[in-house]
């Protein structure tokens, strides 16, 4: 739901479209500042934290920051894909949370192994995406309402199989029997171990997905049509694009990515917690929106989303090391988001 | 009526209402305006002519407070005038209807609300509004202008012409002393244009000054007291009554209007597209239509006659209500644009903003990306984009259709209106097709460029072109055969009907 209605976004009188170049020097500088501001700030943060707290700038700490943001970054990448079609998937947080439950349930109650569980959970996420697409593309329900309903549905659904209990080995099921399975030991490394002892597996997954999604959205035909659908759906259709299919793929991708996030959380905590993933929606949306400011693109982009997530991670980690109290975290995230949006839309704006 | 005579010596006799003195504005390395001068008296209609990208809209944007000039001066009633915003210009009495009608529109408002928007904002209307009272005021406003509009429709559902009329009516509701119209008839049929002419003449008689921009010679002949010609941002010609339009056109494009290639000379090729007993709507009369290879057929008709419906149906957007179609002898029943394109039937739809362009700042906004969108699968079979391919195609299109642009990867939003339209045409000219459907393809395209485009279209033999246009002069100027559509059915379907001589050229020979 971000930069909608081509009739407006695209008007030639749009102040943003008429890049005034009357003072080339000044405008070029402004533009340069705008497109690199997030990186400059990130560099400043790293330096300030490194000076104030030597333990900050260690490989171990940096890796733990990346590990911390990997889930949000992956889910945020999915949100970015739905933003690219001009819509918004509000169900990602709930998909991730119910994926945590589903993964634990698959292993502890159904007795599946790690591979089966991963496949099943990703299929679950994709299926939720398909359901969203059904509501939005086939039935014509507005995206925000449809995905909000799905979010509600999932938040409730994940409580039903266990009667609202968290899932861990020895869980007592609603029918009184005790679950016999356990978490497959080869599942846990997904969230806990590291490559060569330094790069956590979640960071590897995040990096791999980021590269794949970046290429997919920015360098392929599919990406072109994806953005075309979001920019001007009528134009995309009149150019021969199957926009219904594109939208469906976008929601399926978003759901599947959210479930990957859920799998990582499940592997990290090793159990199905009913309260896991409470802030995942807000954090991943924030990452995607901060991403608008990265490179000064003013539009959803996967690279920006990843940087946005890392930026928030660095800031929170550094402040925590400097003893900022835990309860200020949400406030800080909010401030970063406001700053990024002001940067995206405010700086280098011409008058009208 | 003395104003027209006075205007021939504006500098010497009286202080003009508006006096523009060597105004300049550059966008990067593009000089949009280069020391242009112009003056307007009260009670006269000055026509601003110029090829696509000559700087007309740029001049208008400066007068209406959208943009600021780099240098030069504007005197309004003798005082320096540099409005900071359109609202400021409006308060001073300069009211503008811009080239793009999308600008004034809020899709969800009713037409009545859209008309009264200015009154809501400046407090002429009470704070609490009732639908009925708004509707009453809007009806009163329309009555004063003589424009007829469906007040209860959603603005976003209106066609281009009606949106244009809303914009004009809205401009007239303000207390204007200078009315600037940037291509107001681009989407109007001749009937509506006539209504607009009558309205503008009445306003002029009341002492309103009008700056009028149009590529339609018929408009200028009907209205202009004086003509000022812009070329490459400079004023290169001034013409007073009686206006020599040929000389004006020559000044505008820098050469005499090229003669069209001999058309209709080659015998029409094989029949390509057949419509048998085709009804566009369930209650419209069925008709037959045959289009031949190498032929350019124009379809005219008043607004709502079904021109766009016919082309969209051929393009698979709507199904035929009854009857059937064959393409090169095979049954043709596309279920959507994708299938039509696959069969070699392509359409450049009307209203480029809605139908063809990506928003500014969004991926796909560049000239090259706009052209490549329907051709991605063929140009990039691997699925990976290599921008060199589309840039090459775009560079060729820029050359072929004479698009005034800095580079293939420039944003379409940095182009003038007519050049944007050429990009849309270039998109469909970039690949081989069997049937080319063009819905109001020359909106905002100057006549010199129109001729070049038609010649370019003709160079691809074996293709049939259907052009829907509400301008009968244009239909006769570009086509081998002209059909008239009325109530969604073809009136004169006589095959091989001789084209009437082009109205414009005829009058040229008279001169
Ligand atoms: N925002 C912009 N950025 C860069 N160049 C621009 C911008 N706006 C206009 N131009 C350039 O300025 C020149 C004049 O444009 P303008 O829109 O005034 O032409 P015009 O005379 O109105 O043409 P048309 O008949 O096609 O509407 C063109 O070369 C155009 O590309
Ligand atoms: Mg213009």
């Amino acid at each position: 739901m971000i930069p909608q209605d081509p009739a407006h976004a695209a008007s030639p009188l749009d102040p943003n479209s008429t890049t005034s170049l009357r003072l080339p020097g000044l405008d070029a500088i402004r533009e340069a500042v705008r497109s690199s501001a997030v990186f400059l700030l990130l560099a400043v943060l790293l330096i300030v934290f490194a000076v104030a707290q030597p333990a900050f700038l260690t490989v171990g700490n940096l890796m733990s920051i990346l590990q911390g943001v990997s889930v949000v970054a992956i889910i945020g990448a999915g949100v970015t894909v739905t933003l690219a079609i001009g819509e918004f998937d509000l169900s990602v947080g709930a998909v991730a949370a119910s994926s945590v439950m589903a993964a634990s349930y698959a292993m502890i109650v159904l007795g599946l192994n790690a591979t089966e569980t991963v496949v099943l959970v990703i299929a679950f996420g994709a299926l939720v995406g398909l359901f969203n697409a059904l509501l939005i593309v086939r039935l014509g329900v507005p995206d925000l309402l449809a995905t909000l309903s799905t979010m509600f549905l999932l938040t409730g659904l994940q409580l039903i199989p266990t009667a609202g209990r968290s899932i861990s080995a020895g869980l007592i099921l609603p029918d009184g029997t005790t679950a016999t399975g356990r978490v497959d030991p080869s599942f846990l490394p997904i969230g806990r171990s590291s490559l060569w002892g330094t790069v956590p597996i979640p960071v590897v997954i995040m990096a791999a997905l980021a590269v794949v999604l970046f290429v997919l959205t920015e360098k392929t035909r599919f990406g072109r049509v994806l953005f075309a659908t979001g920019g001007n759906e009528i134009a995309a259709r009149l150019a021969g694009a199957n926009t219904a299919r594109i939208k469906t793929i976008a929601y399926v991708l978003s759901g599947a990515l959210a479930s990957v996030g859920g799998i990582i959380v499940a592997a990290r905590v090793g159990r199905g917690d009913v309260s896991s993933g409470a802030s995942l929606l807000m954090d991943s949306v924030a990452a995607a929106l901060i991403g608008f400011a990265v490179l000064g693109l003013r539009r959803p982009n996967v690279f920006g989303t990843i940087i946005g997530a890392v930026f928030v991670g660095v800031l929170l980690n550094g402040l925590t090391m400097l003893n900022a109290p835990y309860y200020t975290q949400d406030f800080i995230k909010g401030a970063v988001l406001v700053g990024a949006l002001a940067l995206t839309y405010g700086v280098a704006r011409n008058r009208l | 009526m003395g104003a027209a005579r006075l205007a021939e010596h504006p500098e010497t006799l009286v202080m003009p209402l508006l006096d523009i003195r060597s105004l300049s504005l550059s966008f990067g390395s593009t000089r949009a305006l280069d020391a242009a001068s112009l003056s307007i008296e009260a009670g006269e209609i000055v026509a601003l002519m110029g090829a696509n990208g000559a700087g007309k809209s740029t001049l208008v944007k400066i007068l209406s407070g959208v943009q600021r000039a780099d240098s030069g001066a504007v005197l309004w009633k003798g005082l320096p005038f540099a409005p900071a915003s359109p609202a400021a210009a409006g308060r001073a009495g300069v009211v503008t209807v811009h080239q793009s009608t999308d600008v004034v529109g809020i899709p969800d408002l009713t037409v009545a609300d859209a008309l009264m928007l200015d009154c809501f904002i400046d407090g002429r209307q009470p704070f609490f509004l009732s639908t009925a009272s708004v509707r009453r005021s809007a009806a009163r406003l329309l009555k004063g202008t003589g424009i007829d509009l469906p007040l209860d429709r959603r603005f976003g559902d209106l066609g281009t012409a009606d949106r244009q009329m809303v914009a004009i009516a809205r401009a007239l509701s303000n207390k204007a002393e200078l009315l600037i119209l940037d291509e107001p008839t681009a989407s109007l049929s001749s009937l509506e244009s006539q209504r607009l002419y009558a309205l503008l003449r009445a306003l002029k008689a009341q002492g309103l000054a009008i700056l009028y921009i149009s590529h339609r010679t018929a408009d200028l002949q009907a209205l202009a007291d004086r003509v000022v010609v812009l070329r490459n941002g400079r004023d290169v010609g001034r013409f007073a009554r009686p206006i020599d339009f040929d000389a004006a056109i020559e000044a505008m494009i820098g050469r005499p209007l090229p003669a069209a290639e001999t058309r209709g000379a080659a015998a029409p090729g094989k029949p390509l597209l057949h419509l048998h007993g085709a009804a566009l709507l369930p209650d419209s009369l069925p008709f037959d239509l045959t289009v031949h290879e190498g032929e350019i057929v124009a379809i005219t008709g008043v607004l709502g006659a079904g021109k766009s419906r016919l082309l969209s149906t051929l393009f698979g957007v709507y199904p035929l209500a009854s009857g059937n179609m064959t393409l090169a002898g095979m049954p043709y029943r596309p279920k959507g644009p994708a299938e039509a394109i696959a069969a070699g039937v392509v359409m450049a739809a009307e209203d480029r903003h809605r139908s063809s362009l990506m928003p500014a700042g969004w991926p796909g906004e560049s000239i090259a990306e706009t052209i490549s969108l329907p051709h991605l699968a063929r140009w990039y079979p691997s699925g990976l984009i290599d921008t060199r391919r589309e840039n090459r195609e775009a560079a060729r299109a820029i050359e072929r259709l004479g698009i005034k642009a800095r580079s293939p990867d420039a944003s379409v939003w940095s182009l003038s209106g007519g050049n944007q339209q050429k990009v849309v045409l270039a998109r469909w000219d970039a690949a081989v097709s069997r049937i080319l459907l063009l819905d109001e393809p020359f909106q905002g395209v100057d006549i010199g460029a129109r001729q070049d485009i038609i010649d370019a279209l003709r160079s691809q033999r074996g293709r049939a072109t259907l052009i829907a246009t509400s301008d009968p002069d244009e239909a006769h100027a570009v086509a081998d055969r002209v059909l008239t559509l009325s109530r969604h059915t073809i009136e004169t379907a006589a095959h091989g009907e001789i084209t009437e001589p082009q109205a414009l050229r005829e009058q040229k020979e008279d001169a």
Side-chain angles (χ1 to χ4, degrees), chain B residues 134-146:
Chain B
V134 170
R135 206 179 175 291
R136 260 197 314 279
S137 323
R140 206 176 314 126
L141 187 157
L142 274 189
K143 198 142 171 274
T145 62

Side-chain angles (χ1 to χ4, degrees), chain B residues 56-57 99 182-183 416-418:
Chain B
K56 305 181 297 296
S57 298
Q99 186 166 12
D182 194 351
E183 294 189 35
S416 77

Side-chain angles (χ1 to χ4, degrees), chain B residues 264-334:
Chain B
K270 291 181 299 214
L272 191 54
L273 175 77
H274 274 298
L275 272 70
H276 303 283
L280 296 178
L281 300 177
D283 55 355
S284 70
L285 286 178
F287 61 90
D288 289 351
L289 172 65
T290 306
V291 181
H292 305 85
E293 274 182 3
E295 192 179 33
I296 298 188
V297 178
I299 296 165
T300 60
V302 297
L303 246 146
K307 301 184 296 291
S308 297
R309 181 82 189 196
L310 171 61
L311 296 199
S312 306
T313 305
L314 293 174
F315 193 50
V317 176
Y318 307 107
L320 270 184
S322 65
N324 57 62
M325 304 188 261
T326 59
L327 180 65
M330 305 289 287
Y332 172 64
R333 194 163 273 272

Side-chain angles (χ1 to χ4, degrees), chain B residues 39-369:
Chain B
S39 68
I40 308 178
E41 301 290 330
E44 74 167 341
I45 301 182
V46 174
L48 191 56
M49 288 175 73
N52 296 131
K56 305 181 297 296
S57 298
T58 304
L59 181 68
V60 169
K61 284 181 194 165
I62 293 172
L63 293 180
S64 58
V66 177
Q67 248 147 10
R68 236 172 232 282
D70 290 339
S71 63
V74 179
L75 297 181
W76 174 244
K77 298 175 184 168
L79 298 174
F81 179 62
S85 70
R91 276 193 301 275
V94 178
V95 176
T96 307
V97 179
H98 286 283
Q99 186 166 12
S100 149
T101 40
D102 296 323
V103 178
V104 296
I106 299 174
D108 279 329
L109 288 186
T110 65
V111 171
D113 288 328
L115 283 170
M116 302 306 291
L117 204 55
D118 299 316
C119 309
F120 297 158
I121 294 168
D122 67 9
R124 265 178 280 167
Q125 285 281 309
F127 187 73
F128 294 102
L129 300 162
S130 78
T131 323
S133 77
V134 170
R135 206 179 175 291
R136 260 197 314 279
S137 323
R140 206 176 314 126
L141 187 157
L142 274 189
K143 198 142 171 274
T145 62
I147 296 174
D148 193 24
L149 283 169
L151 285 176
D152 301 316
R153 287 270 295 280
R154 223 179 124 253
F155 181 82
D157 295 338
L158 293 185
T160 338
D162 280 337
R163 275 187 280 154
Q164 187 73 64
M165 283 301 198
V166 170
I168 294 171
R170 222 182 110 190
L172 295 179
S173 76
N174 294 301
K175 288 269 159 290
E177 285 177 75
L178 170 65
L179 178 63
I180 303 176
L181 300 166
D182 194 351
E183 294 189 35
T185 54
S187 54
L188 302 190
S189 74
S190 54
L191 199 72
E192 286 130 356
S193 303
Q194 297 294 342
R195 259 168 42 208
L196 182 66
Y197 298 163
L199 178 65
L200 294 182
R201 286 198 201 98
L203 290 169
K204 173 179 123 164
Q206 291 164 24
L208 191 75
I210 298 174
L211 182 62
Y212 192 94
I213 296 174
S214 175
H215 291 295
R216 290 194 174 181
T217 318
D219 285 9
L220 307 179
Q221 279 166 336
L223 293 172
D225 295 315
R226 281 192 304 128
V227 168
V228 175
V229 178
L230 277 188
R231 186 161 97 231
N232 296 332
R234 285 169 198 274
D235 53 308
V236 293
R238 288 151 197 278
F239 299 85
R241 279 199 162 154
I243 297 163
D244 178 355
F245 280 98
D246 289 325
I249 289 170
E250 197 171 328
M252 170 178 132
I253 58 180
R255 61 194 156 121
L257 186 64
E261 277 183 7
T262 42
R263 55 185 136 79
K270 291 181 299 214
L272 191 54
L273 175 77
H274 274 298
L275 272 70
H276 303 283
L280 296 178
L281 300 177
D283 55 355
S284 70
L285 286 178
F287 61 90
D288 289 351
L289 172 65
T290 306
V291 181
H292 305 85
E293 274 182 3
E295 192 179 33
I296 298 188
V297 178
I299 296 165
T300 60
V302 297
L303 246 146
K307 301 184 296 291
S308 297
R309 181 82 189 196
L310 171 61
L311 296 199
S312 306
T313 305
L314 293 174
F315 193 50
V317 176
Y318 307 107
L320 270 184
S322 65
N324 57 62
M325 304 188 261
T326 59
L327 180 65
M330 305 289 287
Y332 172 64
R333 194 163 273 272
K335 282 202 273 304
E339 282 190 28
I341 293 171
V345 178
V346 301
M347 177 170 84
E350 70 174 335
D351 191 356
R352 58 180 173 268
H353 293 173
R354 252 201 239 186
S355 72
S356 309
L357 303 181
M358 289 297 140
W362 193 258
E365 63 158 342
S366 79
I367 299 171
E369 289 163 329

Side-chain angles (χ1 to χ4, degrees), chain A residues 3-12 14 230-235, chain B residues 102 353-355 357-360 413:
Chain A
Q4 273 335 294
D5 200 345
H8 293 273
S11 91
D14 186 299
N232 184 344
E233 193 179 342
I234 296 175
Chain B
D102 296 323
H353 293 173
R354 252 201 239 186
S355 72
L357 303 181
M358 289 297 140
W413 300 107

Side-chain angles (χ1 to χ4, degrees), chain A residues 165-177:
Chain A
R165 275 187 282 266
S166 294
I167 306 176
S168 50
L171 166 77
I172 300 174
L173 294 169
D175 63 4
T177 56

